[in-house]
Amino acid sequence: MTAIERIASAVVWGLAAFTVVFLLTPLVVTVLVSFGSSAVFTLPAPSWSLRWYQALGRSRELWPVVATSVQLAAASTAIALLLGTLCAIGLLRGQFRGRDGIVTFLVSPLMLPGLVIGIAMLESFRAAGLRDVWLSLILAHVVITLPYVVRTVYAALSLFDFTLIDAARTLGLSYPKAVLKVLVPSLAPAFLTSGMFAFLASMDNYPISIFFTDAWTKTLPIQMLQYVEESPDPTIAAISALLILLAAAVLVIGDRLVGLRRMADL
C-alpha cells in the first residue's frame, strides 16, 4: 500500500468514525440523562437513579397511549405487508405502460415532508366524509409504511425464480398452495425486514399522526410532545431510552431470525 493509499484510507476511516460519533452522541446523551436524579436535563448527573423509569411505571396516561401505538403499528404493518406484496408482484410481473412511474409514486411518501402528506390526507379524508379517528390513523399509517414493504419485497422478487412455482404446480399443488409453499418462504427475510421498518416507522410517526388524533386517542409521539410542553423533566428521556431499546431489540431479533432462516435454507 502506497503512502497516498494509506492517507486516503485514514481519511475515510476518520470520516466514518466522525459520522458514527455524530449520529450516536444524541442517543447516548438521552440514555445518560434518563438515569440522572436531577429534575432537569443535566449532564453529568449529580447522581444516578431510576426515578424516571419508576415514574413511567406509575404513569396512568402513558400505558394506554403505548397500547394504542402498538395496536396501530401492528395493524398498519399487517395491512402494508399484504398490499405491498400484491403491489410488488403486480409491478414485477405485469407488463403495462407507466410501471416505473407507479413504482416511484408508491415510494413518494418517503420523499415528501410529513406535514405536507398529513395536510393532504386530512383534506382528502374530510372531503370523503371520513371522520373516524382509528380508521383515519390506520389509513394514514398504511400510506407511510407501504413504501418500505413495496421496495423491499420488489427487490426480493426480482431475485426469485418464478419457474419454481410452475414446477410446484406440476407436482400436484394448486396455484395458491404453490405460492404459499414456495414463494412465501423465499420472501420471509424480505417480509421480516420490511415489517420491522414499517412497524418502527409507524411507532415513531408524529407529523402525520398529529392531524388525526383527538383528546381520547393519542399516539406515543403525540403524548411525548405533550410531556415536553407540560412537564419538561427527564421522564421524556426515559421514554426515549425505552424506544431506543425497542428499536435495537427489533433489529437484533430480526437479524437473528434472518440468519436462522438462511441456515435452514442451507
Side-chain angles (χ1 to χ4, degrees):
M1 181 181 293
T2 64
I4 296 178
E5 290 176 340
R6 287 196 295 269
I7 294 174
S9 178
V11 170
V12 171
W13 280 104
L15 290 175
F18 173 78
T19 302
V20 171
V21 172
F22 180 78
L23 293 176
L24 292 182
T25 297
L27 304 183
V28 174
V29 170
T30 300
V31 174
L32 292 177
V33 169
S34 70
F35 287 101
S37 60
S38 174
V40 295
F41 293 89
T42 303
L43 196 68
S47 62
W48 303 107
S49 172
L50 295 176
R51 61 178 293 191
W52 306 115
Y53 292 94
Q54 295 171 353
L56 290 182
R58 297 190 299 267
S59 176
R60 296 182 178 179
E61 298 178 354
L62 177 64
W63 299 112
V65 172
V66 171
T68 298
S69 292
V70 171
Q71 294 170 8
L72 177 62
S76 60
T77 299
I79 296 173
L81 283 172
L82 177 61
L83 296 180
T85 301
L86 296 177
C87 290
I89 294 175
L91 291 172
L92 185 69
R93 301 288 289 172
Q95 300 294 330
F96 53 88
R97 294 182 179 180
R99 185 173 58 178
D100 295 337
I102 295 177
V103 173
T104 304
F105 173 76
L106 288 174
V107 299
S108 61
L110 300 180
M111 306 176 186
L112 297 173
L115 289 175
V116 174
I117 299 175
I119 294 173
M121 286 194 290
L122 177 64
E123 294 296 330
S124 300
F125 291 170
R126 293 299 178 266
L130 177 60
R131 301 186 181 277
D132 183 76
V133 175
W134 259 101
L135 184 57
S136 299
L137 281 171
I138 289 178
L139 290 177
H141 280 235
V142 168
V143 170
I144 62 175
T145 56
L146 192 63
Y148 296 99
V149 178
V150 172
R151 294 302 300 176
T152 305
V153 176
Y154 186 86
L157 283 173
S158 63
L159 302 176
F160 179 75
D161 186 3
F162 282 89
T163 59
L164 295 175
I165 296 180
D166 297 330
R169 295 186 65 188
T170 61
L171 296 176
L173 293 179
S174 62
Y175 191 82
K177 289 185 177 180
V179 170
L180 292 176
K181 294 287 186 178
V182 179
L183 179 61
V184 173
S186 299
L187 295 180
F191 290 150
L192 182 61
T193 303
S194 59
M196 288 190 303
F197 281 106
F199 184 86
L200 294 176
S202 177
M203 283 287 296
D204 191 50
N205 182 266
Y206 164 75
I208 294 178
S209 300
I210 193 173
F211 291 101
F212 303 104
T213 56
D214 57 17
W216 300 274
T217 305
K218 297 180 182 178
T219 60
L220 184 57
I222 306 299
Q223 186 66 38
M224 292 173 67
L225 178 64
Q226 183 174 336
Y227 279 150
V228 172
E229 294 176 346
E230 296 179 353
S231 55
D233 57 40
T235 302
I236 192 69
I239 299 174
S240 302
L242 293 178
L243 288 176
I244 294 171
L245 178 62
L246 172 64
V250 168
L251 293 177
V252 170
I253 294 173
D255 180 71
R256 294 296 178 88
L257 292 177
V258 171
L260 292 175
R261 177 63 192 176
R262 291 176 178 174
M263 291 177 61
D265 292 338
L266 295 177

